[in-house]
Amino acid sequence: MAMEPTRMEVDDGTQQSADPLPFARSYQLEALDAAIKRNTIVFLETGSGKTLIAIMLLRSYSHLLRKPSPFVAVFLVPKVVLVQQQADAIKMHTDLNVGVYWGEMGVDFWNEKMWKNEIEKYEVLVMTHDIFLNNLRHSFFKLSMIKVLIMDECHHASGNHAYACIMRDFFHRQLQSGQSELPRIFGMTASPIKSKGGNPELSYWKTIHELETLMNSKVYTCVDESVLAEFIPTSTPKFEVYKRGKIPSALYTCLTNQLNDLKEKHELSTKSLDLVESSQSIRKKLMKFFSALTFCLEELGVWLALKAAWSFSHNDTDLFTWEKLDVMGERIVRSFSLEAYNSFAYLLPSDPKWTIADDFIGNVNKGFLTSKVRCLIQLLLEYRGLKNLRCIVFVERVITAVVLEILLNEFLPKHNDWKSKYIAGNNSGMQSQTRKKQNEIVEEFRNGTVNIIVATSILEEGLDVQSCNLVIRFDPSSTVSSFIQSRGRARMQNSDYVLMVESGDFNTHSRLQNYLGSGDIMRKESLRHSSLPCSSLEIDLQDDGFYRVESTGASLTLESSIGLMYFYCSRLPSDGYFKPAPRWDEETRTLHLPKSCPIRYVRVEGSVKILKKIACFEACKQLHKIGALTDNLVPDIVMEEAPQDFENEPYDEEQSSYVPSELVKHCSTDTSILYHCYFVELDQNFGYEIPIIDFVIGMRSELDSDIANLPFEVEFGRGFLTVNFKYAGDMLLNSEQVLHCRRFQITIFRILMDHNLNKLKEALDGLCSGENLGLDYLLLPGTRVHQRPSRIDWKCVTSVLFSHQEYSKEHTECSVPRFVHTKNGLICTCMIRNSVVCTPHNGSLYCITGLLEELNGNSLLKLSDGRALTYKKYYVARHGLNLRFDKQLLLKGRRIFHVKKHVQRGGQQTEKESSNISVELPPELCSIIMSPISVSCLYTFSFVPSIMHHLEAVLIAANLKKMLLDQCTQNVNIPTSKVLEAITTKKSQEKFHLESLEALGDSFLKYAASQQLFRTYQNNHEGLLSVKKDRIVSNAALCRVGCNYKLPGFIRNEPFDPKKWIIPGDFSEPCLFKKEFLTNERNIYIRGTRKIKSKSIADVVEALIGAFLSTGGEMAAVYFMNWVGIKVDFTYIPYERNFPVEPEKLVNVKHLESLLNYSFRDPSLLVEALTHGSYMLPEIPGCYQRLEFLGDAVLDYLITIYLYNKYPGMSPGVLTDMRSASVNNDCYARSAVKAELHKHILHASHKLHKDIVHTIANFQRLSTESTFGWESETSFPKVLGDIVESLGGAIYVDSGYDKNVVFQSIRPLLEPLITPETMTLHPARELNEYCSKMHYDMKKPLKSFQNDSATITIEVEANGVTYKHASTASDRKTAKKLACKEVLRSLKESAESSK
């Protein structure tokens, strides 16, 4: 090579050793050597393996990149489609970790921390150049952390291109200031010249020199093209000349006149629109469509112009979205396109069998196609004998690519089986073909299912399409680089590169001839100057057009300021009627900013050409100085939205389950234990043949008086039990008595729970072994004296000690004993009459209530099949047992009761008994387990687990209450029952749950947070306030504070399951309990874990706020919130307003004050409350968004607390439903329309005006009786609801933050308010609940969007019949509501008719 190594000024101080790949070519190794020594631009043809050289350079630097190194390499590409392609190549040939980034990933909104995480994770970052430039400008990236900076297609580095800005604003600026830690630069290009080129010898070196200077790099290239030819096939260039054949003059004139008339007609329709900006956008788009159709007509012919008009008029494609218009604008443009289509179609043959492929020459002569198009078709047909054709047809315009694909797929099938598709980039702003779709087409091209791709410049550079054997330039290349790159696409052996040129177009022909020789000239010029060092690029470090933040290094230039200004405005609050953007007034040289921006305007002087840039530059600097732009020069809301450290911490759904410390004790081996006794009086509110007795609870810890005296009701299948506790004093039991008590309760509960003796022996064998920790309290039967319990029934307790021998000695109670033979021996009937027996032959347990005086073993037993056998024969036949004492009377047995499960929400209300509940038993088959024990005792103890489940929940709530109030210095008291309600979720299926308190707490939390944020951050716009509020009130935040204060363990989120109930005193199982310290002085016990959703924890926090609020008022709620770390207060902070307006000139102050029944101290608040963001006139400095933010929370809380207090005792969930039906945009909007507030809104949105007019027109059809519910079949503009909230906020501020004044003023607008009787569920919820109740299958809703409407299809399958309805509305929510309402109506009608 004729290149001498040149030492650059920039070097990292270490000599890198080359790490080549074994299959690298000679010129690739030379280029690698050059790149290791100095900053280098590799200038080699397409397909020569430039990426491989870059990869070998990365391998050479890999030891400096491997983590935990703080350094990275960055690989930049000009197009999104190249990101993954280049990343895949790096992954294939290195073991470096590669990260990929493009705009659709949302990286524009990433903050410094997110990028830092990427740098710590990856060693090579592949991204588009704009992303990298933005990160440098925001100082998320610094050049000093980058070891290698690779720029693909670096010939773009000129002017204000991102590559040029990276080098000029950062690399050279730091180089000139003495920065030594700069990256190795490696550029890649197939042509260092991008321009059209004049005199090649004179201009090429100048351009190359400029590129070298800017890139601070020397160009490396091969000495001779023959070196590359050895490895890379080159295509044969051919010129294909076609004669200019215009469509007939009369036809062209006729159609262009028609198009012009259509354009003027539709432009005229825009003049009726209110907004100038909207009209201008529509006219601009009309002009683009008109120009595109005129171009197609002239260059391609009538038929292809028709296809273009069809594409424009149909919205089944997103191809042509230069800019988004409102609904009216889209309608006008689509109408123009459709009428243009009809004009073209009128001139084509009407025969449905006619195709453009018929009489091709004749169709050209008629002007349906042009001679240029005919030339393309003929060219392709010349290659029809070529096997495996892979052809790329390059065109200049997207519309050309679209319509040529249609033509080729209609014409070519008549001649061969070639298939065509198009690929078009989005740099024209006219097309939104997805990256995935483009990659799919390229893959189809590679595997041969697509033969021809019609492409814009997107396929010229980058996209790897190796299998191409024919390239046709339908439109000539506009630049040298375009020519070279498109030629390089034909990379197969013996491929052709065909240049279509119009006959007589000598300029184009001459230019293309120059391009053919440009490669050699550029190579020679580069080699001729290779020994020269790079020239330095002079940078004015004191440039007034450069602003740098010293603390971070973030920077701003005149060029970047416009983009940053628009980015900042795009993050300001907006709605469907207004997108905030700066407005430049050329006449006054003033930049007007949106009303939510803290700066109203910037007025500047200077050069007219750059005045707007100067204004944006100054505005950005001012925004930074007041904090609206951070020190990284990003909008404050971007940083505010960035997740906090704790928000990224994963939440573990496995949470502890607490058991109250009052119930958990060590199995004491002391000689005596003190128990605090409580008689539990049970009032049986239902009739049943077996009476319920009272029982006694013995606790080793004394219960608090409010718990001991807390009556409650438990509902069972038969009815209610009222449970009353009565303290009965202390009881000291010796160890033997304690063992008897534990043996009794273990035995009775094992019998009731298991209905067999399988687990009983093991449980009794483990009685108090060691110092095990477990549930230790006593549950003992009571006896009644004068209908009230006065003592423990010790005789019943000792029934578990029944022994035949002991009984024989002591039995003296019967005056005339009657003995029967049992498994235990001879037993008096008085002892078996009240006993629990087991029949070993089948393992069953029974309660014996007496003897059957008329039945013995020889009595007849009627069987279910109608036969009759004696009991004796039955036992022989069924069980193989011979009754020895067949003359003994049979025992009257009853099957053991099941442990009663209290009726849960939505559960069964009646208790069904088994039909064979009573049995007749031969005494000789029975073994006595417990005696004496009454059937009433057994029946009573079947209720005890449910009662204890409730008591355990009360004790849990009491423990939480104590923890909450331990350090409370205020006079805050809250009933334990409210705490219990707040920690009981719907999943527990109790008759009460937290939903009402949650709704109340949620509304207060939002109100408290919103009012504090509003007053504290008086310069923050609504978007910032909302983000700050969400950080306080979000489920994630509430879950975090709940977990921090150990609330999950208290939550009741599982229904009572008798099978899981732990029998107190049973220490046979391994220790299940673990002590947990709630505070230094207070502990509780953990019994395993259960899954709790994070939202459930958040709901409990809100419910506890509601519990404190409902019983102790707002200050009690604030105490609790502060306790859990939600720092809010109602400290008065003066509201500083700078709103210089004359209210009376802008709104009708007196009328509005009369309407609101409130006189404003500061009427400018009225103006602010009624000003929409679209009202850009400068005399009003702000809009209603901040007041709406405040009023939303105030009204929500006022209505919620009103409903809660107005309807005490309502069922859980009803408050939530009433709140939802009252506090929503439609309700407020209806109130606004009824009060005619829409007449006073200050706005400048044509769409809002149209929507309000439409709403008013439909309003008369709606019920004016109510202002709540879901009756409306149309959606209301959100703005109408917003102003009710903003007026509420205005009154709240003006009244000195008096919420009662707000309610008095706004309530009349909202009348009549909802009541439980007038409330209806939202149709979507009602349908969901109805399907769940009836076990119907509700399918997933189908959604479709067309024009300005949404269609939702709801489908339900019920009993084999499908009920389906599709509704269309202006928004998705309304469409879903209407569809659900119709399906619900059909289901109910069907159910009625089938009765």
Side-chain angles (χ1 to χ4, degrees):
M1 291 294 151
M3 296 180 66
E4 294 297 323
T6 306
R7 192 74 179 170
M8 292 289 106
E9 298 85 351
V10 182
D11 193 75
D12 58 13
T14 60
Q15 184 64 46
Q16 307 308 320
S17 58
D19 186 6
L21 291 162
F23 49 82
R25 301 162 186 169
S26 57
Y27 65 85
Q28 291 173 326
L29 295 175
E30 288 182 5
L32 172 62
D33 183 56
I36 287 173
K37 293 175 181 176
R38 59 182 175 272
N39 293 345
T40 300
I41 298 169
V42 169
F43 161 36
L44 295 170
E45 287 189 18
T46 301
S48 59
K50 296 186 288 293
T51 299
L52 201 64
I53 302 168
I55 289 171
M56 291 191 290
L57 182 63
L58 290 174
R59 288 166 61 97
S60 302
Y61 274 82
S62 60
H63 64 287
L64 297 175
L65 305 176
R66 297 193 197 284
K67 297 307 168 193
S69 166
F71 301 111
V72 293
V74 176
F75 196 127
L76 302 182
V77 296
K79 294 182 179 179
V80 172
V81 289
L82 299 176
V83 174
Q84 195 63 56
Q85 179 179 299
Q86 299 292 35
D88 289 344
I90 298 168
K91 290 175 186 176
M92 182 183 294
H93 297 295
T94 75
D95 62 350
L96 296 170
N97 293 321
V98 183
V100 294
Y101 312 93
W102 57 84
E104 290 175 7
M105 295 171 63
V107 295
D108 291 342
F109 307 113
W110 287 11
N111 60 15
E112 185 176 21
K113 186 168 185 181
M114 296 172 77
W115 281 112
K116 186 180 178 185
N117 290 338
E118 299 299 303
I119 292 166
E120 290 173 352
K121 190 194 291 188
Y122 296 109
E123 291 146 349
V124 182
L125 311 181
V126 185
M127 65 188 71
T128 54
H129 45 49
D130 287 326
I131 294 172
F132 183 68
L133 175 58
N134 283 335
N135 283 340
L136 287 176
R137 284 172 170 166
H138 296 310
S139 200
F140 298 157
F141 287 177
K142 292 181 171 59
L143 288 181
S144 58
M145 70 182 208
I146 299 165
K147 282 297 175 185
V148 184
L149 179 58
I150 299 168
M151 300 187 194
D152 195 7
E153 312 293 358
C154 67
H155 54 268
H156 291 296
S158 63
N160 289 318
H161 188 274
Y163 283 159
C165 293
I166 290 165
M167 296 305 298
R168 184 176 58 243
D169 296 341
F170 295 93
F171 188 94
H172 285 285
R173 188 171 281 275
Q174 292 179 32
L175 180 63
Q176 195 165 316
S177 63
Q179 171 66 266
S180 60
E181 294 295 321
L182 292 172
R184 167 69 70 235
I185 303 296
F186 183 77
M188 300 188 291
T189 183
S191 167
I193 293 174
K194 188 182 177 184
S195 63
K196 290 184 177 181
N199 185 327
E201 284 78 5
L202 295 176
S203 64
Y204 282 12
W205 166 243
K206 182 175 180 292
T207 306
I208 293 169
H209 177 64
E210 289 172 355
L211 181 65
E212 285 188 340
T213 302
L214 184 59
M215 294 286 292
N216 192 247
S217 307
K218 290 300 293 181
V219 170
Y220 165 85
T221 189
C222 288
V223 175
D224 198 292
E225 194 173 358
S226 60
V227 177
L228 293 175
E230 181 183 343
F231 302 98
I232 310 162
T234 55
S235 58
T236 304
K238 297 179 180 179
F239 283 91
E240 187 69 29
V241 180
Y242 63 90
K243 288 187 178 180
R244 176 76 169 178
K246 295 185 178 179
I247 68 172
S249 176
L251 180 63
Y252 179 75
T253 303
C254 172
L255 286 173
T256 51
N257 287 341
Q258 286 184 40
L259 283 176
N260 204 52
D261 290 345
L262 286 174
K263 178 173 72 74
E264 289 178 357
K265 168 188 165 184
H266 286 82
E267 281 178 342
L268 195 62
S269 66
T270 66
K271 292 185 178 177
S272 63
L273 304 180
D274 298 343
L275 283 180
V276 175
E277 283 185 28
S278 178
S279 299
Q280 286 175 345
S281 296
I282 297 168
R283 286 198 293 271
K284 187 177 177 183
K285 193 163 186 178
L286 276 173
M287 189 64 205
K288 285 187 175 182
F289 276 31
F290 170 78
S291 299
L293 293 177
T294 306
F295 164 81
C296 289
L297 183 64
E298 185 172 0
E299 292 294 322
L300 306 175
V302 177
W303 192 82
L304 289 173
L306 171 111
K307 295 301 177 184
W310 180 260
S311 297
F312 289 148
S313 64
H314 282 69
N315 64 346
D316 55 349
T317 175
D318 290 328
L319 301 180
F320 310 106
T321 52
W322 278 294
E323 57 184 295
K324 291 290 183 185
L325 299 179
D326 59 21
V327 175
M328 182 59 68
E330 291 291 347
R331 206 170 282 158
I332 291 171
V333 171
R334 195 164 286 118
S335 171
F336 164 77
S337 303
L338 191 56
E339 289 188 39
Y341 169 80
N342 291 331
S343 297
F344 295 137
Y346 180 75
L347 296 167
L348 294 173
S350 58
D351 184 354
K353 295 181 180 179
W354 179 86
T355 70
I356 193 65
D358 300 336
D359 188 15
F360 192 68
I361 301 299
N363 287 333
V364 172
N365 293 333
K366 291 173 186 174
F368 298 164
L369 297 172
T370 62
S371 55
K372 183 177 182 181
V373 175
R374 180 181 67 181
C375 177
L376 173 65
I377 297 293
Q378 290 172 336
L379 248 176
L380 288 168
L381 291 179
E382 288 177 15
Y383 289 87
R384 59 186 159 197
L386 184 63
K387 193 176 180 181
N388 297 325
L389 174 76
R390 301 288 192 282
C391 170
I392 302 175
V393 179
F394 280 108
V395 298
E396 187 175 349
R397 299 189 181 208
V398 174
I399 191 60
T400 308
V402 174
V403 296
L404 280 183
E405 182 214 290
I406 298 170
L407 173 69
L408 295 179
N409 283 330
E410 186 149 338
F411 184 85
L412 292 177
K414 290 184 177 290
H415 301 275
N416 47 45
D417 59 355
W418 291 343
K419 186 178 179 183
S420 305
K421 287 197 176 180
Y422 82 90
I423 290 182
N426 54 15
N427 54 347
S428 65
M430 183 180 172
Q431 195 269 354
S432 58
Q433 197 177 43
T434 64
R435 185 171 55 86
K436 181 181 178 184
K437 180 69 175 172
Q438 291 169 351
N439 286 335
E440 286 173 359
I441 294 170
V442 169
E443 190 55 41
E444 288 175 324
F445 187 75
R446 288 188 186 122
N447 63 37
T449 53
V450 169
N451 305 92
I452 301 170
I453 294 179
V454 187
T456 57
S457 60
I458 187 172
L459 281 193
E460 288 180 358
E461 60 184 27
L463 260 182
D464 189 17
V465 189
Q466 298 181 3
S467 53
C468 181
N469 51 20
L470 174 62
V471 170
I472 300 175
R473 290 283 340 187
F474 184 76
D475 294 318
S477 301
S478 59
T479 65
V480 176
S481 58
S482 170
F483 179 88
I484 290 174
Q485 288 174 323
S486 60
R487 180 182 179 182
R489 293 296 100 191
R491 286 160 60 177
M492 292 183 72
Q493 201 73 41
N494 302 318
S495 56
D496 286 345
Y497 180 53
V498 183
L499 304 160
M500 289 177 55
V501 183
E502 184 186 338
S503 175
D505 187 353
F506 300 114
N507 286 339
T508 300
H509 194 277
S510 173
R511 179 160 53 86
L512 295 177
Q513 285 285 9
N514 286 339
Y515 288 172
L516 280 171
S518 60
D520 277 339
I521 297 170
M522 288 187 288
R523 189 178 299 106
K524 288 173 183 174
E525 289 299 311
S526 298
L527 292 168
R528 192 160 63 87
H529 297 86
S530 62
S531 61
L532 297 177
C534 280
S535 303
S536 60
L537 186 71
E538 292 300 323
I539 301 290
D540 182 5
L541 297 179
Q542 307 303 316
D543 183 6
D544 289 339
F546 186 87
Y547 179 74
R548 186 174 185 275
V549 181
E550 291 303 322
S551 62
T552 63
S555 60
L556 176 72
T557 65
L558 282 175
E559 301 300 333
S560 66
S561 63
I562 294 180
L564 181 57
M565 192 71 251
Y566 275 88
F567 179 46
Y568 173 78
C569 290
S570 74
R571 300 312 316 276
L572 294 173
S574 63
D575 58 26
Y577 304 104
F578 167 62
K579 302 299 178 197
R583 183 171 62 86
W584 172 246
D585 187 333
E586 192 79 50
E587 189 175 330
T588 62
R589 300 184 172 191
T590 303
L591 183 72
H592 294 280
L593 299 173
K595 296 194 181 299
S596 49
C597 179
I599 299 172
R600 295 175 194 168
Y601 64 87
V602 173
R603 190 172 287 120
V604 292
E605 299 292 335
S607 171
V608 176
K609 288 184 179 180
I610 60 169
L611 267 183
K612 185 176 179 180
K613 292 180 183 177
I614 295 171
C616 288
F617 186 74
E618 290 302 319
C620 289
K621 289 201 297 185
Q622 290 183 35
L623 288 170
H624 172 244
K625 285 171 183 172
I626 63 173
L629 287 175
T630 69
D631 283 349
N632 287 106
L633 295 181
V634 295
D636 44 10
I637 195 166
V638 173
M639 300 302 288
E640 195 68 49
E641 287 174 339
Q644 303 292 314
D645 288 342
F646 68 83
E647 291 174 322
N648 289 322
E649 294 173 6
Y651 167 73
D652 185 1
E653 289 189 351
E654 287 292 335
Q655 293 287 343
S656 300
S657 178
Y658 289 163
V659 178
S661 55
E662 293 90 337
L663 303 182
V664 180
K665 302 295 176 185
H666 282 280
C667 176
S668 176
T669 54
D670 294 346
T671 54
S672 60
I673 301 176
L674 180 69
Y675 285 93
H676 306 278
C677 293
Y678 300 87
F679 283 114
V680 182
E681 299 174 350
L682 301 177
D683 285 337
Q684 186 175 343
N685 301 318
F686 55 87
Y688 191 53
E689 62 192 50
I690 303 172
I692 289 178
I693 64 171
D694 301 334
F695 68 97
V696 178
I697 300 178
M699 306 283 293
R700 287 173 65 181
S701 297
E702 188 172 356
L703 297 180
D704 291 342
S705 58
D706 63 333
I707 296 173
N709 299 316
L710 181 69
F712 58 88
E713 283 187 339
V714 186
E715 184 182 359
F716 295 92
R718 298 187 184 282
F720 289 93
L721 276 182
T722 302
V723 182
N724 284 283
F725 287 83
K726 186 173 287 185
Y727 184 59
D730 297 341
M731 174 175 65
L732 191 66
L733 300 180
N734 62 39
S735 58
E736 185 179 3
Q737 290 172 314
V738 170
L739 280 175
H740 289 341
C741 293
R742 287 176 181 163
R743 182 179 290 273
F744 166 80
Q745 61 194 32
I746 289 171
T747 302
I748 194 170
F749 286 121
R750 282 264 71 96
I751 287 171
L752 289 167
M753 292 167 71
D754 302 337
H755 285 211
N756 58 58
L757 302 178
N758 297 344
K759 297 180 181 178
L760 180 59
K761 185 176 184 308
E762 181 185 350
L764 294 177
D765 288 347
L767 263 177
C768 204
S769 54
E771 286 285 317
N772 280 355
L773 191 66
L775 294 179
D776 188 16
Y777 56 93
L778 303 179
L779 296 169
L780 306 173
T783 60
R784 297 190 177 218
V785 176
H786 305 302
Q787 300 304 312
R788 284 293 95 187
S790 61
R791 60 189 178 86
I792 296 168
D793 185 351
W794 287 107
K795 193 173 183 182
C796 183
V797 171
T798 57
S799 65
V800 293
L801 304 177
F802 176 82
S803 161
H804 168 59
Q805 290 78 14
E806 292 296 319
Y807 153 74
S808 300
K809 294 176 185 176
E810 299 178 9
H811 179 61
T812 56
E813 290 187 8
C814 290
S815 55
V816 184
R818 294 172 62 189
F819 292 92
V820 292
H821 289 274
T822 70
K823 287 282 185 183
N824 305 76
L826 275 172
I827 301 293
C828 181
T829 55
C830 73
M831 291 304 290
I832 204 169
R833 190 181 301 277
N834 288 294
S835 66
V836 174
V837 303
C838 171
T839 52
H841 67 273
N842 61 3
S844 295
L845 298 171
Y846 302 94
C847 174
I848 304 301
T849 58
L851 276 75
L852 296 164
E853 298 292 341
E854 298 176 357
L855 293 179
N856 62 25
N858 296 312
S859 301
L860 286 177
L861 168 66
K862 288 186 178 180
L863 302 178
S864 58
D865 60 4
R867 291 181 300 130
L869 288 175
T870 64
Y871 283 94
K872 185 172 183 176
K873 289 181 179 179
Y874 169 77
Y875 277 99
V876 170
R878 180 69 186 268
H879 298 289
L881 296 173
N882 187 29
L883 297 183
R884 293 166 53 210
F885 306 101
D886 54 353
K887 291 186 172 57
Q888 284 191 143
L889 294 179
L890 299 182
L891 301 177
K892 183 180 181 182
R894 181 187 179 99
R895 295 186 184 278
I896 297 296
F897 302 98
H898 288 276
V899 172
K900 299 295 182 289
K901 186 177 180 181
H902 56 275
V903 172
Q904 296 168 331
R905 180 170 40 85
Q908 195 74 24
Q909 295 300 312
T910 58
E911 183 178 325
K912 294 181 180 178
E913 284 190 344
S914 172
S915 58
N916 58 347
I917 192 166
S918 295
V919 293
E920 305 85 40
L921 297 171
E924 64 187 279
L925 299 182
C926 298
S927 175
I928 297 173
I929 307 301
M930 298 179 76
S931 178
I933 182 169
S934 68
V935 68
S936 286
C937 181
L938 277 168
Y939 185 50
T940 300
F941 270 70
S942 71
F943 291 98
V944 169
S946 270
I947 295 169
M948 292 309 298
H949 172 75
H950 184 86
L951 177 60
E952 182 179 327
V954 171
L955 290 171
I956 281 290
N959 275 268
L960 175 57
K961 172 184 168 181
K962 291 173 187 173
M963 182 177 81
L964 296 175
L965 298 179
D966 270 348
Q967 297 172 351
C968 181
T969 56
Q970 305 173 32
N971 184 23
V972 175
N973 193 16
I974 177 172
T976 303
S977 59
K978 277 293 179 189
V979 178
L980 177 59
E981 182 182 341
I983 61 175
T984 303
T985 69
K986 288 173 79 171
K987 269 193 170 183
S988 66
Q989 298 183 12
E990 299 289 348
K991 289 293 182 180
F992 60 91
H993 58 77
L994 57 73
E995 197 166 322
S996 291
L997 289 176
E998 177 208 340
L1000 183 63
D1002 173 67
S1003 67
F1004 180 74
L1005 170 62
K1006 289 174 181 172
Y1007 161 63
S1010 296
Q1011 61 82 30
Q1012 178 167 301
L1013 291 169
F1014 181 88
R1015 290 189 280 188
T1016 305
Y1017 301 99
Q1018 298 189 10
N1019 289 322
N1020 281 188
H1021 56 72
E1022 180 267 336
L1024 275 171
L1025 295 177
S1026 293
V1027 174
K1028 284 182 165 76
K1029 182 190 75 175
D1030 288 344
R1031 187 144 283 147
I1032 298 171
V1033 307
S1034 70
N1035 285 337
L1038 296 178
C1039 175
R1040 178 179 58 87
V1041 300
C1043 291
N1044 287 348
Y1045 288 87
K1046 302 182 179 180
L1047 294 183
F1050 293 99
I1051 297 174
R1052 301 176 70 220
N1053 76 324
E1054 294 177 322
F1056 172 59
D1057 183 356
K1059 294 177 183 176
K1060 294 182 180 178
W1061 187 69
I1062 298 177
I1063 300 170
D1066 183 357
F1067 292 88
S1068 61
E1069 295 289 333
C1071 180
L1072 300 172
F1073 300 94
K1074 188 173 74 172
K1075 185 180 284 191
E1076 168 92 337
F1077 284 94
L1078 299 173
T1079 63
N1080 291 337
E1081 300 83 22
R1082 195 173 296 284
N1083 63 64
I1084 205 161
Y1085 287 91
I1086 297 173
R1087 180 178 63 205
T1089 62
R1090 69 274 162 82
K1091 288 187 181 296
I1092 302 181
K1093 298 285 186 186
S1094 58
K1095 185 180 183 306
S1096 296
I1097 300 171
D1099 291 346
V1100 167
V1101 173
E1102 290 176 332
L1104 285 167
I1105 295 172
F1108 275 86
L1109 177 69
S1110 62
T1111 54
E1114 291 182 1
M1115 287 304 102
V1118 170
Y1119 160 75
F1120 169 74
M1121 290 160 67
N1122 287 327
W1123 183 86
V1124 292
I1126 305 172
K1127 302 300 180 185
V1128 296
D1129 61 56
F1130 288 85
T1131 305
Y1132 180 78
I1133 301 172
Y1135 186 47
E1136 297 177 8
R1137 285 176 51 74
N1138 183 18
F1139 211 86
V1141 295
E1142 297 182 51
E1144 290 77 8
K1145 291 184 178 180
L1146 296 165
V1147 296
N1148 190 337
V1149 175
K1150 288 188 178 179
H1151 172 75
L1152 289 165
E1153 287 183 335
S1154 172
L1155 183 67
L1156 296 169
N1157 193 27
Y1158 178 79
S1159 295
F1160 279 87
R1161 303 169 193 166
D1162 180 1
S1164 71
L1165 279 162
L1166 255 182
V1167 178
E1168 184 178 351
L1170 292 167
T1171 303
H1172 183 252
S1174 63
Y1175 194 78
M1176 284 292 285
L1177 297 183
E1179 63 261 28
I1180 301 178
C1183 63
Y1184 67 56
Q1185 290 165 342
R1186 274 178 55 87
L1187 290 175
E1188 178 222 336
F1189 166 83
L1190 178 63
D1192 172 35
V1194 173
L1195 289 179
D1196 183 4
Y1197 172 56
L1198 287 170
I1199 292 171
T1200 305
I1201 193 78
Y1202 164 81
L1203 294 172
Y1204 184 86
N1205 292 330
K1206 176 78 174 174
Y1207 305 104
M1210 69 177 89
S1211 300
V1214 174
L1215 177 64
T1216 303
D1217 295 333
M1218 292 175 70
R1219 179 190 180 199
S1220 297
S1222 303
V1223 182
N1224 62 68
N1225 184 71
D1226 278 8
C1227 298
Y1228 290 158
R1230 290 171 77 166
S1231 299
V1233 174
K1234 280 175 69 176
E1236 298 188 334
L1237 287 173
H1238 58 278
K1239 296 180 178 180
H1240 303 277
I1241 302 173
L1242 301 172
H1243 72 91
S1245 166
H1246 170 71
K1247 187 175 187 302
L1248 176 56
H1249 172 71
K1250 290 276 187 184
D1251 286 354
I1252 290 176
V1253 169
H1254 177 71
T1255 298
I1256 303 307
N1258 290 329
F1259 188 70
Q1260 300 307 318
R1261 295 192 292 105
L1262 301 173
S1263 166
T1264 55
E1265 304 268 323
S1266 65
T1267 54
F1268 55 82
W1270 317 105
E1271 294 85 356
S1272 173
E1273 296 192 0
T1274 59
S1275 58
F1276 290 85
K1278 184 176 180 298
V1279 174
L1280 293 174
D1282 289 347
I1283 58 167
V1284 172
E1285 293 171 335
S1286 63
L1287 285 169
I1291 295 168
Y1292 185 66
V1293 172
D1294 192 74
S1295 64
Y1297 307 106
D1298 189 334
K1299 63 183 181 299
N1300 295 322
V1301 173
V1302 177
F1303 196 51
Q1304 291 166 12
S1305 177
I1306 299 296
R1307 177 177 173 174
L1309 299 181
L1310 305 179
E1311 292 285 4
L1313 293 175
I1314 199 168
T1315 68
E1317 294 74 31
T1318 59
M1319 184 196 71
T1320 57
L1321 288 179
H1322 190 286
R1325 177 171 169 189
E1326 187 179 357
L1327 177 61
N1328 193 49
E1329 291 185 359
Y1330 186 78
C1331 289
S1332 178
K1333 175 184 173 185
M1334 304 300 291
H1335 304 291
Y1336 294 161
D1337 182 17
M1338 187 172 177
K1339 309 291 185 186
K1340 187 176 180 181
L1342 297 175
K1343 307 169 188 174
S1344 65
F1345 302 91
Q1346 190 171 10
N1347 298 345
D1348 53 340
S1349 61
T1351 300
I1352 304 293
T1353 303
I1354 299 295
E1355 182 178 344
V1356 173
E1357 191 174 310
N1359 302 323
V1361 180
T1362 298
Y1363 297 82
K1364 185 176 180 181
H1365 188 84
S1367 290
T1368 301
S1370 59
D1371 67 284
R1372 178 176 52 81
K1373 289 182 179 178
T1374 303
K1376 184 178 180 181
K1377 177 176 72 177
L1378 296 176
C1380 288
K1381 188 184 286 187
E1382 286 303 311
V1383 172
L1384 189 62
R1385 181 183 59 76
S1386 299
L1387 286 169
K1388 288 182 176 179
E1389 286 177 357
S1390 175
E1392 283 295 320
S1393 63
S1394 63
K1395 285 183 180 178

